[in-house]
Short mmCIF file of all heavy atoms in Angstrom, two decimals:
data_model
loop_
_atom_site.label_atom_id
_atom_site.label_comp_id
_atom_site.label_asym_id
_atom_site.label_seq_id
_atom_site.Cartn_x
_atom_site.Cartn_y
_atom_site.Cartn_z
N HIS L 393 2.38 23.29 -3.22
CA HIS L 393 1.90 22.01 -3.71
C HIS L 393 2.65 20.88 -3.01
O HIS L 393 3.89 20.94 -2.87
CB HIS L 393 2.05 21.89 -5.21
CG HIS L 393 1.17 22.83 -5.95
ND1 HIS L 393 -0.14 22.48 -6.26
CD2 HIS L 393 1.30 24.06 -6.46
CE1 HIS L 393 -0.72 23.48 -6.95
NE2 HIS L 393 0.17 24.48 -7.08
N LEU L 395 4.08 16.99 -2.73
CA LEU L 395 4.53 15.98 -3.67
C LEU L 395 3.57 14.79 -3.65
O LEU L 395 2.97 14.45 -2.60
CB LEU L 395 5.93 15.52 -3.28
CG LEU L 395 7.03 16.61 -3.39
CD1 LEU L 395 8.29 16.18 -2.80
CD2 LEU L 395 7.21 17.06 -4.88
N GLU L 431 15.19 17.34 4.56
CA GLU L 431 15.08 17.83 3.19
C GLU L 431 15.02 16.64 2.27
O GLU L 431 15.70 15.61 2.41
CB GLU L 431 16.29 18.64 2.80
CG GLU L 431 16.36 20.04 3.47
CD GLU L 431 15.23 20.91 2.95
OE1 GLU L 431 14.86 20.77 1.80
OE2 GLU L 431 14.78 21.77 3.77
N ASN L 432 14.08 16.71 1.28
CA ASN L 432 13.95 15.64 0.32
C ASN L 432 15.19 15.65 -0.64
O ASN L 432 15.91 16.64 -0.70
CB ASN L 432 12.70 15.83 -0.58
CG ASN L 432 11.44 15.80 0.27
OD1 ASN L 432 11.32 15.05 1.25
ND2 ASN L 432 10.49 16.68 -0.04
N SER L 433 15.47 14.55 -1.28
CA SER L 433 16.59 14.46 -2.19
C SER L 433 16.15 14.50 -3.63
O SER L 433 16.87 14.05 -4.55
CB SER L 433 17.42 13.21 -1.92
OG SER L 433 16.64 12.04 -2.23
N ILE L 434 14.93 15.01 -3.88
CA ILE L 434 14.45 15.11 -5.29
C ILE L 434 15.24 16.22 -5.99
O ILE L 434 15.37 17.36 -5.47
CB ILE L 434 12.98 15.55 -5.29
CG1 ILE L 434 12.16 14.56 -4.48
CG2 ILE L 434 12.44 15.65 -6.70
CD1 ILE L 434 12.10 13.19 -5.02
N PRO L 435 15.84 15.92 -7.17
CA PRO L 435 16.74 16.88 -7.85
C PRO L 435 15.90 17.98 -8.54
O PRO L 435 14.79 17.84 -8.81
CB PRO L 435 17.52 16.01 -8.83
CG PRO L 435 16.52 14.93 -9.18
CD PRO L 435 15.76 14.65 -7.88
N PHE L 436 16.64 19.11 -8.81
CA PHE L 436 16.10 20.18 -9.59
C PHE L 436 15.91 19.67 -11.07
O PHE L 436 16.72 18.93 -11.53
CB PHE L 436 17.03 21.34 -9.58
CG PHE L 436 16.60 22.55 -10.37
CD1 PHE L 436 15.75 23.49 -9.80
CD2 PHE L 436 17.01 22.73 -11.66
CE1 PHE L 436 15.29 24.55 -10.54
CE2 PHE L 436 16.56 23.80 -12.43
CZ PHE L 436 15.71 24.73 -11.87
N PRO L 437 14.85 20.00 -11.77
CA PRO L 437 13.77 20.91 -11.37
C PRO L 437 12.59 20.24 -10.77
O PRO L 437 11.60 20.87 -10.47
CB PRO L 437 13.41 21.55 -12.74
CG PRO L 437 13.61 20.42 -13.69
CD PRO L 437 14.79 19.66 -13.17
N LEU L 438 12.68 18.86 -10.54
CA LEU L 438 11.54 18.14 -10.01
C LEU L 438 11.13 18.61 -8.60
O LEU L 438 9.99 18.37 -8.15
CB LEU L 438 11.79 16.68 -10.02
CG LEU L 438 12.08 16.04 -11.46
CD1 LEU L 438 12.44 14.57 -11.31
CD2 LEU L 438 10.93 16.20 -12.34
N ASN L 439 12.07 19.23 -7.92
CA ASN L 439 11.78 19.67 -6.55
C ASN L 439 11.07 21.02 -6.52
O ASN L 439 10.77 21.56 -5.43
CB ASN L 439 13.08 19.76 -5.68
CG ASN L 439 14.05 20.75 -6.30
OD1 ASN L 439 13.84 21.27 -7.45
ND2 ASN L 439 15.12 21.01 -5.60
N GLN L 440 10.79 21.57 -7.68
CA GLN L 440 10.03 22.83 -7.72
C GLN L 440 8.54 22.59 -7.57
O GLN L 440 7.90 21.96 -8.41
CB GLN L 440 10.31 23.58 -9.04
CG GLN L 440 11.79 23.90 -9.26
CD GLN L 440 12.31 24.77 -8.11
OE1 GLN L 440 11.87 25.90 -7.93
NE2 GLN L 440 13.27 24.25 -7.41
N ARG L 441 8.02 23.02 -6.44
CA ARG L 441 6.64 22.66 -6.07
C ARG L 441 5.60 23.15 -7.10
O ARG L 441 4.56 22.53 -7.33
CB ARG L 441 6.28 23.18 -4.69
CG ARG L 441 7.15 22.63 -3.54
CD ARG L 441 7.00 21.15 -3.47
NE ARG L 441 7.82 20.53 -2.43
CZ ARG L 441 7.29 20.01 -1.31
NH1 ARG L 441 6.00 19.97 -1.16
NH2 ARG L 441 8.07 19.49 -0.38
N ILE L 442 5.90 24.25 -7.79
CA ILE L 442 4.89 24.80 -8.69
C ILE L 442 4.69 23.84 -9.86
O ILE L 442 3.58 23.78 -10.44
CB ILE L 442 5.36 26.23 -9.22
CG1 ILE L 442 4.18 26.85 -9.96
CG2 ILE L 442 6.56 26.10 -10.09
CD1 ILE L 442 4.40 28.29 -10.32
N LEU L 443 5.76 23.04 -10.16
CA LEU L 443 5.59 22.04 -11.28
C LEU L 443 4.61 20.98 -10.91
O LEU L 443 4.06 20.30 -11.81
CB LEU L 443 6.93 21.47 -11.65
CG LEU L 443 7.98 22.46 -12.18
CD1 LEU L 443 9.25 21.72 -12.55
CD2 LEU L 443 7.41 23.19 -13.41
N GLN L 444 4.35 20.78 -9.64
CA GLN L 444 3.39 19.77 -9.22
C GLN L 444 1.96 20.14 -9.72
O GLN L 444 1.09 19.26 -9.90
CB GLN L 444 3.35 19.61 -7.70
CG GLN L 444 4.64 19.09 -7.12
CD GLN L 444 5.08 17.79 -7.80
OE1 GLN L 444 4.25 16.89 -7.98
NE2 GLN L 444 6.34 17.69 -8.15
#
Side-chain angles (χ1 to χ4, degrees):
H393 290 276
L395 297 171
E431 289 293 329
N432 301 322
S433 65
I434 305 296
F436 180 85
L438 299 178
N439 61 351
Q440 299 303 296
R441 298 300 181 111
I442 192 171
L443 296 181
Q444 296 305 316

